[in-house]
Amino acid sequence: RGYKKLMKRLQRKVSRQYEKNKIKTKGGESRYQKTNNIIKTENKIRKLHIRLTNIRTDYIHKITTNLVKTKPEFVAMEDLNIKGLMKNKHLSKSVQEQKLYEFKRQLGYKCDCKAIKLIEVDRWFPSSKTCNACGKIKKDLKLSDRTYICECGYNEDRDFNAALNLRDYGLKLMAN
């Protein structure tokens, strides 16, 4: 969080520096002159981008390693529509920062090394909309509904319910 704040501050700073050094040309157009201070600020921004990327990659390595170290029989993972998520202007930056493809790639090769089966569940499987207790599908579930409440009395966090459904899907595939 601190690095993101610093990044914003540096980007505003370099923007102000560029505005100060605007030059009018003979044709009436304006162009920007790069000074040594602008170059220094841009180098700080570049280093900060590298630092943030390394932090995210390290986190992905640690999470995937911890998942595989527990030596499960299988790992069930939902195939998400990343292109569709990137079209949402509110989610796109967060989705991009998560490096979901890199997570999937690393998990895949680490599972192969430990002989763990990686199950990719179809993106249209209703993992969030299915009740884990009775199996009934709730069609009118919105993204804003964070708890799954079924008519049978089952009440659970939406993401935990989806995780249980993915686990059950994987167990069903392993049994066959």
Side-chain angles (χ1 to χ4, degrees):
R1 200 173 274 156
Y3 286 123
K4 282 186 178 182
K5 195 173 182 181
L6 180 61
M7 175 73 75
K8 241 182 194 178
R9 192 176 302 133
L10 285 173
Q11 285 172 337
R12 280 196 305 261
K13 180 180 178 182
V14 80
S15 179
R16 284 192 304 266
Q17 287 173 336
Y18 268 119
E19 284 300 316
K20 271 192 222 173
N21 295 310
K22 195 188 283 191
I23 303 171
K24 295 269 186 186
T25 59
K26 289 179 184 175
E29 299 170 10
S30 59
R31 64 183 188 95
Y32 298 103
Q33 171 112 17
K34 262 195 183 184
T35 61
N36 285 334
N37 283 337
I38 289 175
I39 292 169
K40 285 180 204 171
T41 309
E42 285 178 342
N43 284 338
K44 284 180 186 176
I45 291 171
R46 198 171 297 115
K47 285 179 183 177
L48 201 55
H49 272 295
I50 292 168
R51 176 87 174 123
L52 285 168
T53 303
N54 289 341
I55 288 170
R56 290 183 186 114
T57 306
D58 180 56
Y59 180 73
I60 289 172
H61 271 293
K62 287 177 180 174
I63 290 294
T64 52
T65 303
N66 284 341
L67 275 172
V68 173
K69 267 186 182 177
T70 59
K71 295 185 181 170
E73 188 179 338
F74 66 91
V75 176
M77 184 177 178
E78 200 167 18
D79 178 35
L80 295 174
N81 181 10
I82 304 298
K83 275 188 179 178
L85 290 172
M86 292 299 289
K87 288 178 184 174
N88 184 336
K89 67 178 182 179
H90 303 290
L91 294 175
S92 60
K93 190 171 184 179
S94 299
V95 169
Q96 188 178 11
E97 288 175 353
Q98 296 304 313
K99 295 180 150 189
L100 294 173
Y101 180 78
E102 181 66 14
F103 180 83
K104 179 179 160 185
R105 187 191 68 78
Q106 284 186 23
L107 190 62
Y109 88 77
K110 289 177 183 180
C111 283
D112 285 344
C113 289
K114 299 279 187 179
I116 298 169
K117 188 171 182 181
L118 179 65
I119 299 170
E120 275 191 53
V121 180
D122 182 42
R123 69 178 62 165
W124 305 115
F125 178 71
S127 59
S128 297
K129 296 182 177 185
T130 307
C131 177
N132 191 47
C134 67
K136 186 175 180 191
I137 297 175
K138 192 175 188 180
K139 298 224 187 268
D140 61 336
L141 191 68
K142 297 181 193 106
L143 191 58
S144 59
D145 299 337
R146 297 315 306 161
T147 55
Y148 184 87
I149 303 168
C150 187
E151 295 168 0
C152 68
Y154 182 73
N155 186 3
E156 193 61 67
D157 179 60
R158 176 196 178 120
D159 296 331
F160 187 70
N161 181 49
L164 293 175
N165 287 328
L166 290 174
R167 180 202 61 193
D168 294 344
Y169 182 84
L171 286 172
K172 198 183 297 181
L173 276 181
M174 293 299 285
N176 291 339

